[in-house]
Amino acid sequence: MEDRSIQVNLCTSRKEKPKSDELQFGRTFTDHMFVMDYSEPAGWHDPRIVPYQKLEIDPSAMVFHYGQSVFEGLKAYKTSAGEPQLFRPEKNLKRINHSNDRLCIPQIEEEFALRAIQQLVELEKDWIPEAKGTSLYIRPFVISTEPYIGVAPSRHYKFMIILSPVGQYYKEGINPVKIAVENQYVRTVRGGTGEAKTGGNYAASLKAQELVSDSGFAQVLWLDGVEKKYIEEVGSMNVFFKIDGEIVTPALNGSILEGVTRNSVIALLNHWNIPVNERRISMEELRQAHKDGLLEEAFGSGTAAVISPIGQLTWEGEDMQVNNFTTGPVAKKLYDTLTGIQYGRVEDPFNWIVPVGSQVYSKAQ
Ligand SMILES: *Cc1c(COP(=O)(O)O)cnc(C)c1O
């Protein structure tokens, strides 16, 4: 492998760190960032850690016009011993390449990108907050930078990693939310870009979210874009239901984003011998299950909230309460176990944890 050592240019003055109890999501960034460029024929080159700073990009850069961009989201957690650790980062890097492929963006070497994340987090580890439930959010992303307004895959890109200290998603444990089933707008469609983590999917989702949030709904439940019958995701999370003792989640169909949390939930349920089934689930089936008293739990899964219980679903004017608007036992156990593994409080039976420490990135070389 070619030598890809990361140049480090440290900042001269450090920013003040926010207090643990004043952390918001995604508003504060650390002192440094990682950047690497792509051009043809050189390929990815010049990997570097530099002070967090503004970019100078040509107004004709393709990302501003045709949205060729992808991103990832994962977190670094501090254990009670003060050691920073990552949760299944190789999954995120595999997924960024899957997204890259869909958006015609060149592949990134995954082991090298993991090393870049580790080196950056190691440098910024004082930014990882220590209060319960807090973490350092890691945002790797790629944008197309070629100055050209013709429609074609860009020939220039930037891969960057920025870090943001974030608070606990729920102030007091996990709390159920109200969800509106979305009948008009769709997030994406099979054959579209739903399987890829790309900004356009989020742009497409804002309108529906804006319309329901005024009525007290936390998120929308997305249905499939073809028949608008089958359940896909909740907000920007994957979704699970417990129906008559069995956990079900929509099968990956080309428009659902495959979450790392979703995959981990399924692995844990299998490990606990709780039946879990990936299949098509229609809203009609869910309404019937609710009517029959068989809809026992509903929850979303994703890196930000980990597990987010659904207390009520509203569809075509009908309110369906789930588990009396309280967190169910499966959601609770998943939340406790996943966060327990992430913060190093409970055993990690699947070797999901990757320490940030140097011995590991030498292994990844
Ligand atoms: C990121 C994302 C998820 C959750 O993925 P995790 O890897 O579990 O964080 C689910 N749905 C969408 C649309 C997403 O963008």
Side-chain angles (χ1 to χ4, degrees):
M1 192 199 296
E2 65 186 299
D3 176 35
R4 286 261 209 90
S5 51
I6 299 172
Q7 289 287 323
V8 179
N9 173 12
L10 296 180
C11 64
T12 47
S13 70
R14 302 286 164 117
K15 291 184 253 190
E16 200 178 319
K17 297 180 180 60
K19 295 200 186 74
S20 262
D21 57 348
E22 287 169 9
L23 288 169
Q24 291 180 303
F25 181 83
R27 294 209 181 265
T28 309
F29 299 93
T30 67
D31 293 311
H32 299 90
M33 62 185 191
F34 173 87
V35 190
M36 175 164 77
D37 297 310
Y38 180 93
S39 57
E40 287 172 9
W44 288 111
H45 61 273
D46 198 12
R48 55 205 186 270
I49 288 173
V50 295
Y52 187 94
Q53 62 193 271
K54 293 185 176 148
L55 302 172
E56 191 164 278
I57 299 184
D58 199 287
S60 66
M62 296 179 86
V63 66
F64 297 135
H65 306 276
Y66 308 122
Q68 204 191 359
S69 70
V70 299
F71 68 94
E72 270 305 324
L74 67 161
K75 288 171 170 176
Y77 310 86
K78 217 169 227 179
T79 66
S80 54
E83 288 304 317
Q85 56 184 29
L86 306 170
F87 181 74
R88 311 188 76 185
E90 67 288 348
K91 281 259 179 207
N92 297 88
L93 296 169
K94 209 178 161 126
R95 188 169 67 190
I96 204 171
N97 270 337
H98 183 73
S99 304
N100 282 339
D101 180 61
R102 181 63 183 81
L103 275 290
C104 295
I105 295 172
Q107 298 284 292
I108 293 165
E109 203 187 302
E110 292 165 27
E111 289 198 350
F112 178 74
L114 175 57
R115 197 146 58 88
I117 289 174
Q118 288 174 312
Q119 192 168 334
L120 183 64
V121 172
E122 176 69 23
L123 175 68
E124 302 284 65
K125 66 182 174 198
D126 290 349
W127 279 93
I128 310 177
E130 293 183 6
K132 188 162 191 286
T134 62
S135 56
L136 186 66
Y137 187 81
I138 304 169
R139 168 55 57 89
F141 63 107
V142 183
I143 54 169
S144 51
T145 53
E146 186 177 349
Y148 174 53
I149 55 170
V151 179
S154 173
R155 291 172 304 176
H156 303 174
Y157 299 89
K158 269 189 195 302
F159 172 55
M160 286 181 275
I161 307 169
I162 56 176
L163 307 175
S164 174
V166 295
Q168 181 165 27
Y169 201 84
Y170 304 100
K171 287 274 172 285
E172 305 117 23
I174 53 175
N175 278 314
V177 291
K178 278 194 200 175
I179 299 294
V181 181
E182 178 57 50
N183 270 332
Q184 186 185 359
Y185 296 105
V186 298
R187 188 185 80 92
T188 178
V189 64
R190 238 175 303 152
T193 53
E195 277 190 322
K197 224 170 164 70
T198 181
N201 295 340
Y202 280 72
S205 75
L206 297 175
K207 185 79 178 169
Q209 168 71 35
E210 188 178 76
L211 289 173
V212 302
S213 62
D214 293 340
S215 323
F217 294 101
Q219 291 288 349
V220 300
L221 188 78
W222 297 110
L223 302 181
D224 75 278
V226 180
E227 298 175 77
K228 293 194 194 158
K229 273 188 190 166
Y230 299 100
I231 295 164
E232 297 223 320
E233 300 202 46
V234 60
S236 51
M237 288 183 282
N238 296 114
V239 68
F240 289 82
F241 302 96
K242 183 168 177 231
I243 302 175
D244 198 14
E246 184 190 54
I247 310 288
V248 291
T249 190
L252 300 175
N253 62 353
S255 57
I256 293 171
L257 196 284
E258 183 179 6
V260 178
T261 319
R262 175 187 185 276
N263 181 284
S264 309
V265 163
I266 294 170
L268 282 172
L269 293 170
N270 281 323
H271 186 64
W272 295 331
N273 290 317
I274 296 178
V276 51
N277 197 353
E278 296 176 62
R279 62 169 172 83
R280 258 190 353 183
I281 310 154
S282 69
M283 255 330 283
E284 207 45 69
E285 175 190 346
L286 208 67
R287 168 147 63 192
Q288 194 58 48
H290 178 260
K291 226 186 215 160
D292 297 343
L294 299 175
L295 178 58
E296 294 156 359
E297 290 191 42
F299 54 89
S301 72
T303 296
V306 190
I307 298 293
S308 178
I310 297 170
Q312 180 187 308
L313 280 166
T314 298
W315 187 42
E316 297 173 339
E318 183 184 335
D319 293 340
M320 295 174 248
Q321 277 233 338
V322 188
N323 199 35
N324 296 316
F325 215 91
T326 62
T327 301
V330 174
K332 176 84 170 72
K333 185 169 178 182
L334 284 164
Y335 179 81
D336 289 344
T337 307
L338 284 167
T339 53
I341 292 171
Q342 288 162 345
Y343 289 92
R345 293 189 298 260
V346 308
E347 197 208 342
D348 168 22
F350 303 100
N351 281 320
W352 281 339
I353 291 304
V354 174
V356 164
S358 53
Q359 68 282 19
V360 174
Y361 52 82
S362 60
K363 192 178 85 190
Q365 266 174 340

